[in-house]
Amino acid sequence: MDSTGTESSTGTGTEKDKAAFSLTKATPAPTPAPAPAEAPDIQSHDTFVIKKKLSLTAGEYMVSVARPDGSEGEPVAYAREKRLSLRGQVTVYTDASRKSVLAAFKGRDHEVGYMYDVRDASGQSFGSFYEDAGASFLRRTWQVRQPGTMKLTGRERSRVVAFVRFVWEFIPYLEYVPFIWPYRFTYTESGKPLMTVTKKLGLHTRYVLEILAPDVDRRLAIAHTLALDALEAD
C-alpha cells in the first residue's frame, strides 16, 4: 500500500532534520568575553607628565608617559584629591574608571609632623615621605623613603624661587592663584641625583617627573609628585 508507514515516516524524518538544522543555525556559539585590560607597566618608563584639572570640589590629575619630544603619551594613572581634606588624602588609579587602585597615601601624626604612607591596593605600605620642616625654612625639602632600597632627599633647586613661593603663600587671595613660575625639585642619595620633579611655566598646572634610577618605585615617585601639588593648599 502506497499510503502507509514508509512514505509518512520518511516525510516526518525530513521535517525533523530541517528543524534541527534551522535550530543549529539560529543559535550561534557564544562569543568569549574579552580579557580584562592589564595595568600599564609603569616601571619600564622613566619620564612622566602630570596635569591637573581644577574643580570646586576636587583636584583631578592625569599621569601620562612622556614622549621623546616631551609631549604627553599614553595615560597610565589618574588621581582625584578632595579639596580641604584632612591631612591630605589622594588615591591613584590605573585608569579613568577609578576601579583599580595603583597607590594611595594619607597623612598621619609623626614626630616629624605629618608622615605620608604610600600603600598599594591591598593596603600594604611600599614607601613614605614627609616634609623636612627644619630644612624647608629656606628651600622646601622632602624626605622620600623606599624601604630596603633607598632614602632620597628632595630639595627645591632655586633659593630665589623658593623664597618667592614662600612669600606668595602669605599674600591675601594669592593662595587661590596658581604659581605660574617654574620650579624644580632634585632628589638625591649620597649626593647622587636619582629623580627630578619640574613644575612647568604656565597658568595650567603641569609637572614633569624624570626618574634617573631603575630601582625607584614609579608608584612612589608618582604619588609623591602629586603630593607636592595636592599638599600645597593644606
Side-chain angles (χ1 to χ4, degrees), residues 37-45 48 63 65 74-78 93-95 100 102 219:
E38 295 183 356
D41 179 20
I42 62 173
Q43 196 63 30
S44 63
H45 298 286
F48 302 88
V63 183
V65 174
E74 174 193 12
V76 293
Y78 296 79
Y93 301 91
T94 58
D95 57 46
S100 179
L102 180 70
R219 300 170 301 169

Side-chain angles (χ1 to χ4, degrees), residues 124-178:
Q124 183 69 33
S125 175
F126 59 86
S128 62
F129 55 84
Y130 65 90
E131 186 172 6
D132 190 333
S136 290
F137 181 72
L138 296 177
R139 286 185 293 173
R140 295 192 71 177
T141 302
W142 289 84
Q143 303 294 335
V144 182
R145 301 290 184 259
Q146 189 172 311
T149 307
M150 59 191 67
K151 299 179 180 179
L152 302 178
T153 298
R155 182 173 288 112
E156 202 165 352
R157 187 176 66 171
S158 171
R159 294 178 184 271
V160 174
V161 176
F163 176 75
V164 174
R165 291 212 307 134
F166 176 79
V167 173
W168 186 280
E169 296 177 1
F170 291 93
I171 299 177
Y173 305 111
L174 279 185
E175 59 184 299
Y176 302 106
V177 180

Side-chain angles (χ1 to χ4, degrees), residues 18 33 39-40 50 54-55 61 71-72 93 104 107 123 142 166 191 200 205 207 211-212 220:
K18 288 181 179 180
I50 295 95
L54 281 174
S55 69
Y61 301 87
S71 61
E72 300 160 42
Y93 301 91
W142 289 84
F166 176 79
K200 306 302 281 187
T205 303
Y207 298 86
I211 301 170
L212 309 174
L220 175 59

Side-chain angles (χ1 to χ4, degrees), residues 87 105 107 112-117 128-137 139-145 151-156 165 183-189 195 197 223-232 234:
R87 301 182 182 178
F105 67 83
V112 298
Y114 279 151
M115 172 73 75
Y116 297 88
D117 297 304
S128 62
F129 55 84
Y130 65 90
E131 186 172 6
D132 190 333
S136 290
F137 181 72
R139 286 185 293 173
R140 295 192 71 177
T141 302
W142 289 84
Q143 303 294 335
V144 182
R145 301 290 184 259
K151 299 179 180 179
L152 302 178
T153 298
R155 182 173 288 112
E156 202 165 352
R165 291 212 307 134
Y183 55 86
R184 172 180 290 187
F185 282 82
T186 300
Y187 295 78
T188 63
E189 184 180 49
M195 186 175 90
V197 176
H224 176 64
T225 302
L226 294 173
L228 289 179
D229 186 88
L231 300 179
E232 285 281 328
D234 288 355

Side-chain angles (χ1 to χ4, degrees), residues 49-53 60-64 72 75-79:
V49 178
I50 295 95
K51 288 182 65 177
K52 181 181 182 180
K53 178 182 177 182
E60 297 183 359
Y61 301 87
M62 183 175 73
V63 183
S64 304
E72 300 160 42
V76 293
Y78 296 79

